[in-house]
């Protein structure tokens, strides 16, 4: 039983690390702020959630105590990271950062 | 086996930290840097969680909560500052 | 809704007094039994049975988790594609939701949808401006927002 939980925990942590690498790669590669924010705000969130679930499982099978602080952290990050992404996006638009020159549509421009 | 996996995981997280650092230094605009800083805060949480497993202690798990709150508040403050408080 | 929860706690306390055991497990058993009694008498309350709302909240959380995983797969595809051939853009979306917290939850959900991110909410809270990674997916995104998310949020707030 503990072997299964150990493999599961290792799998979760490796998946989270892979998502982190994808997010870093996207932040380097994508062309403008708006598309970079897609990579940062989505992949990092799921990556940190996977790593924390892996940590939770590890402490559960190793010391058999269920740590509620980690659950609290998962819930908190899940709630706040979309808000942070939206705020950065808004401030980028209002400070007049240019969109990528291959962008095709901008409905927000008409209203201002 | 699990130890090797932990080493690989720490290496991967550190590599992605270097990627964010590149964007933090180079980033053409200020929001770029804020995005990189936010992602680095989340990355730091992952490093603390992995360090907890390596050292086999649950003493640092409070730091996860604190780092999460601080990085969120930092991002909100930066974006409010960029919009001049609107 | 708060009245029904209060009544349920009251029934649980009555069960504790009847059993003459004052601990957590007796309270939980009494709560479940009281839930059963209230389920039988649900037509006598003025508003909906509160378990329906709890069910809607759980459904909303499941939608959140599913969208998070789907959006990660789509970002992964976009980042790892050898050529950057997407066409990003901002489109306007008119929402039917009115309350502040509903719009907050809807914009959080949109942020987690594959390839979309909220840029700005208009002054009168009616139009959301959404940045899409690939404008070709716009119709699909609007469709899923209209038919899945808004319906699930309205199910909670009804």
């Amino acid at each position: 039983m503990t072997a299964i939980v150990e493999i599961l925990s290792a799998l979760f942590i490796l998946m989270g690390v892979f998502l982190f690498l994808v997010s870093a790669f996207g932040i380097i590669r994508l062309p403008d702020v708006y598309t970079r924010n897609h990579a940062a705000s989505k992949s990092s969130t799921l990556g940190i959630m996977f790593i924390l679930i892996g940590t939770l499982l590890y402490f559960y099978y190793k010391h058999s105590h269920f740590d509620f602080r980690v659950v609290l952290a998962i819930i908190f990050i899940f709630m706040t990271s979309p808000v942070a992404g939206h705020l950065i996006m808004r401030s980028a638009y209002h400070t007049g950062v240019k969109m990528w020159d291959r962008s095709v549509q901008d409905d927000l421009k008409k209203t201002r | 086996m699990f130890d090797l996996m932990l080493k690989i995981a720490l290496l991967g997280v550190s590599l992605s930290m270097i990627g964010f650092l590149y964007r933090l230094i180079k980033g053409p605009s200020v929001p770029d840097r804020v995005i990189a800083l936010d992602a680095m805060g989340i990355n730091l949480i992952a490093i603390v969680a992995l360090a907890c497993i390596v050292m086999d202690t649950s003493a640092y798990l409070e730091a996860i909560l604190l780092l999460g709150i601080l990085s969120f508040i930092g991002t909100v403050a930066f974006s409010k500052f960029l919009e001049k408080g609107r | 809704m708060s009245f029904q929860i209060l009544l349920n706690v009251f029934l649980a306390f009555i069960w504790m007094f009847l059993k003459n055991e004052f601990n957590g497990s007796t309270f939980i058993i009494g709560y479940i039994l009281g839930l059963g009694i209230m389920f039988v008498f649900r037509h006598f309350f003025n508003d909906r049975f509160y378990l329906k709302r709890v069910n809607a909240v759980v459904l909303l959380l499941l939608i959140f988790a599913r969208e998070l995983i789907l959006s990660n797969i789509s970002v992964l595809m976009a980042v790892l594609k050898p050529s950057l051939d997407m066409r990003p853009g901002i489109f306007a979306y008119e929402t039917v939701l009115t309350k502040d917290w509903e719009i907050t939850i809807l914009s959080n959900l949109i942020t987690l949808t594959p390839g979309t991110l909220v840029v700005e909410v208009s002054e009168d809270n009616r139009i959301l401006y959404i940045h899409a990674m690939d404008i070709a997916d716009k119709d699909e995104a609007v469709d899923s927002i209209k038919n899945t998310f808004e319906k699930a949020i309205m199910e909670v707030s009804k």
Side-chain angles (χ1 to χ4, degrees):
Chain A
M1 184 59 206
T2 51
I4 298 172
V5 181
E6 186 172 350
I7 291 170
L8 210 65
S9 146
L11 215 64
F12 267 119
I13 290 177
L14 282 182
M15 226 141 69
V17 171
F18 176 68
L19 281 173
F20 264 116
L21 285 174
V22 166
S23 137
F25 191 60
I27 267 187
I28 293 173
R29 182 164 182 240
L30 290 173
D32 68 343
V33 186
Y34 305 99
T35 45
R36 267 174 218 146
N37 204 351
H38 280 277
S41 72
K42 285 168 192 165
S43 303
S44 317
T45 312
L46 195 65
I48 191 67
M49 277 169 71
F50 274 156
I51 287 182
L52 288 181
I53 289 170
T55 316
L56 194 72
L57 286 176
Y58 174 82
F59 281 111
Y60 184 63
Y61 87 78
K62 198 80 178 203
H63 301 286
S64 69
H65 90 281
F66 195 80
D67 209 311
F68 281 99
R69 288 171 292 181
V70 181
V71 179
L72 213 62
I74 291 174
I75 294 169
F76 187 78
I77 290 169
F78 185 60
M79 283 192 323
T80 57
S81 90
V83 180
H86 163 64
L87 277 173
I88 299 171
M89 203 77 161
R90 216 180 89 152
S91 67
Y93 197 89
H94 283 301
T95 46
V97 180
K98 288 269 183 303
M99 286 171 76
W100 193 29
D101 27 301
R102 276 163 69 191
S103 304
V104 280
Q105 190 178 351
D106 190 355
D107 284 354
L108 187 49
K109 206 180 195 170
K110 293 171 202 157
T111 63
R112 288 161 58 83
Chain B
M1 192 61 206
F2 199 76
D3 284 336
L4 182 69
M5 193 282 299
L6 279 178
K7 299 266 159 52
I8 295 171
L10 271 174
L11 184 73
V13 173
S14 314
L15 276 180
S16 62
M17 188 72 125
I18 292 173
F20 296 139
L21 200 64
Y22 167 79
R23 185 51 70 194
L24 181 69
I25 293 167
K26 177 145 182 297
S29 64
V30 186
D32 271 310
R33 299 193 168 117
V34 179
I35 289 172
L37 208 61
D38 183 45
M40 276 171 89
I42 289 176
N43 212 325
L44 210 57
I45 298 174
I47 290 180
V48 171
L50 289 175
C52 261
I53 298 181
V54 170
M55 296 181 198
D56 205 14
T57 167
S58 62
Y60 303 127
L61 290 180
E62 269 105 357
I64 291 176
L65 268 175
L66 282 178
L67 279 174
I69 292 167
L70 280 180
S71 84
F72 174 63
I73 290 176
T75 310
V76 171
F78 264 120
S79 48
K80 277 278 164 200
F81 166 71
L82 285 178
E83 289 189 49
K84 301 192 179 63
R86 266 192 300 149
Chain C
M1 178 170 162
S2 52
F3 168 71
Q4 292 180 18
I5 292 175
L6 204 65
L7 188 64
N8 207 339
V9 171
F10 181 67
L11 285 174
F13 268 103
I14 285 183
W15 177 256
M16 274 161 77
F17 279 115
L18 284 176
K19 291 279 284 186
N20 208 9
E21 286 170 19
F22 299 98
N23 48 29
S25 55
T26 321
F27 181 82
I28 291 170
I29 292 171
Y31 198 88
I32 293 168
L33 287 175
L35 208 62
I37 292 170
M38 282 174 63
F39 180 71
V40 173
F41 288 101
R42 66 189 179 281
H43 294 299
F44 293 91
F45 297 117
N46 284 329
D47 47 351
R48 293 191 307 158
F49 186 49
Y50 80 92
L51 215 60
K52 259 186 193 159
R53 189 173 294 207
V54 174
N55 194 19
V57 170
V58 170
L59 215 66
L60 196 63
L61 281 179
L62 284 181
I63 289 175
F64 256 107
R66 193 193 67 196
E67 289 305 323
L68 187 56
I69 291 170
L70 281 183
S71 71
N72 269 284
I73 293 170
S74 86
V75 166
L76 211 127
M77 302 286 258
V79 169
L80 298 182
K81 221 194 277 179
S83 63
L84 289 174
D85 56 352
M86 69 264 192
R87 313 192 69 78
I90 296 178
F91 64 92
Y93 174 73
E94 203 163 325
T95 177
V96 295
L97 302 175
T98 47
K99 294 196 194 96
D100 279 351
W101 67 268
E102 288 172 342
I103 291 170
T104 311
I105 290 181
L106 182 69
S107 54
N108 273 9
L109 256 174
I110 289 170
T111 302
L112 298 177
T113 325
T116 52
L117 232 160
V118 179
V119 180
E120 171 73 298
V121 183
S122 67
E123 290 288 328
D124 54 352
N125 283 350
R126 282 187 56 242
I127 299 172
L128 300 175
Y129 294 97
I130 302 172
H131 180 271
M133 195 104 152
D134 202 341
I135 207 78
D137 299 340
K138 180 190 150 188
D139 292 333
E140 199 182 324
V142 166
D143 192 53
S144 76
I145 291 167
K146 198 160 261 163
N147 290 328
T148 317
F149 306 155
E150 283 193 342
K151 215 171 263 179
I153 292 171
M154 273 199 272
E155 192 65 33
V156 174
S157 70
K158 190 167 66 179

